[in-house]
Amino acid sequence: MVLSLDRWVGKVAVVTGASSGIGAAIADFLVDKGLIVAGLARRSERVEKKAKELSGKKGKLHAIKTDITKEEDILNAFKWIEENLGHVHILINNAGVSKEDFLRNGDAAIWKQVLDVNVMGLCIATREAVKIMSANNIKGHIIHINSVAGHKVLNYPGINLYCASKYAVTALTETLRHELNAIDSKIKTTSLSPGLVTCEMTTLNPELSEERKKLRVTLPILDPEDVAEAVGYVLSTSENVQINELTITPVGEKF
């Protein structure tokens, strides 16, 4: 197997949650490989700043202000992309959130936010991407940035609905694959499940207690660029190869 992203050069990729961490690293990686990247984020000014930094690369990054919890925002983003950049060939559902809270006495508003971002936003963005790919006979690729927490409930009190939301991503990836197979679609789907990654949800989270911060900095951890390279590997497979699930963890991880 020859691994190459050449067939995606000049094509449009959508990356949600592109303002920091894994999303920013994926956007950077894809632009470097020559793709036109639409970076969706609430903090679009961060994406705009990154776009200027990447101006000399093979591809190009475009910032689109989007609140992934709002369906109208997502619809408007895909409409703008279609009208200004072209047909979507790749969707990276990266936007995710984890808020420290407890099931035994927690805040339902926090639980709802986790589900709105991690599950509903992902579903809506996926629906819109599949519509475009199907209407234009595009052999596209949809990658859900999942988590090891989508395959095993972590013994880490305080993550409330996070594991449940990521288990949903695992199920949704397979459900979509079955749906696409049923209509003989050539759109590929992949669940990419990293272990602990340095980002604003983990070691860079300002809301973490000092105890949690001290614990997390002692654990083996991936860099966002490691996940971006895994995305590159998934996208580099030939058209007849589908990676249903890819799990990557730092050496020594014990979750």
Side-chain angles (χ1 to χ4, degrees):
M1 182 188 298
V2 178
L3 301 181
S4 170
L5 294 180
D6 287 351
R7 72 187 178 96
W8 301 114
V9 171
K11 300 298 192 295
V12 176
V14 177
V15 180
T16 67
S19 63
S20 66
I22 294 171
I26 292 171
D28 195 335
F29 177 88
L30 295 178
V31 169
D32 188 58
K33 299 299 182 182
L35 280 76
I36 301 168
V37 178
L40 278 54
R42 287 181 299 108
R43 300 173 298 185
S44 57
E45 68 280 359
R46 291 192 177 193
V47 185
E48 290 170 0
K49 181 180 178 182
K50 175 59 73 171
K52 293 177 182 177
E53 295 172 1
L54 298 175
S55 60
K57 299 288 187 177
K58 289 171 60 180
K60 189 170 184 180
L61 175 61
H62 298 265
I64 305 174
K65 189 173 182 63
T66 310
D67 184 340
I68 206 71
T69 68
K70 297 178 179 178
E71 182 174 9
E72 185 177 1
D73 273 21
I74 300 171
L75 298 181
N76 288 338
F78 275 87
K79 184 174 185 292
W80 187 91
I81 293 164
E82 184 80 352
E83 292 175 351
N84 294 274
L85 304 182
H87 302 319
V88 175
H89 284 67
I90 295 168
L91 169 64
I92 313 292
N93 275 311
N94 165 76
V97 66
S98 177
K99 297 277 189 178
E100 189 167 326
D101 193 50
F102 296 88
L103 292 176
R104 66 177 186 273
N105 59 1
D107 184 343
I110 290 176
W111 304 345
K112 185 176 185 301
Q113 183 185 12
V114 171
L115 294 177
D116 283 347
V117 175
N118 297 2
V119 180
M120 290 305 299
L122 174 146
C123 286
I124 295 167
T126 299
R127 180 191 68 195
E128 297 308 302
V130 170
K131 283 181 182 178
I132 293 169
M133 293 175 188
S134 299
N136 296 282
N137 197 29
I138 293 170
K139 297 178 180 178
H141 203 142
I142 295 170
I143 300 176
H144 297 330
I145 303 301
N146 197 347
S147 168
V148 293
H151 305 276
K152 179 180 181 181
V153 176
L154 307 181
N155 183 8
Y156 196 79
I159 55 176
N160 53 86
L161 267 66
Y162 183 73
C163 289
S165 73
K166 290 302 184 178
Y167 265 79
V169 173
T170 300
L172 289 167
T173 309
E174 275 297 277
T175 301
L176 179 61
R177 186 175 68 84
H178 292 317
E179 284 191 13
L180 294 172
N181 284 345
I183 60 173
D184 199 29
S185 171
K186 302 306 178 185
I187 300 170
K188 297 200 281 187
T189 63
T190 300
S191 162
L192 201 169
S193 302
L196 192 62
V197 182
T198 299
C199 64
E200 290 180 355
M201 282 202 306
T202 59
T203 54
L204 303 181
N205 187 345
E207 298 178 4
L208 277 183
S209 64
E210 287 301 316
E211 181 182 358
R212 289 285 174 96
K213 286 180 182 177
K214 289 178 182 178
L215 171 63
R216 289 189 175 184
V217 297
T218 65
L219 299 173
I221 195 163
L222 296 168
D223 291 322
E225 291 74 18
D226 297 323
V227 183
E229 290 179 358
V231 167
Y233 167 70
V234 170
L235 290 173
S236 68
T237 55
S238 57
E239 289 186 356
N240 68 317
V241 174
Q242 175 159 289
I243 297 176
N244 298 335
E245 169 64 41
L246 179 62
T247 301
I248 63 168
T249 61
V251 173
E253 181 168 276
K254 297 178 181 179
F255 282 146

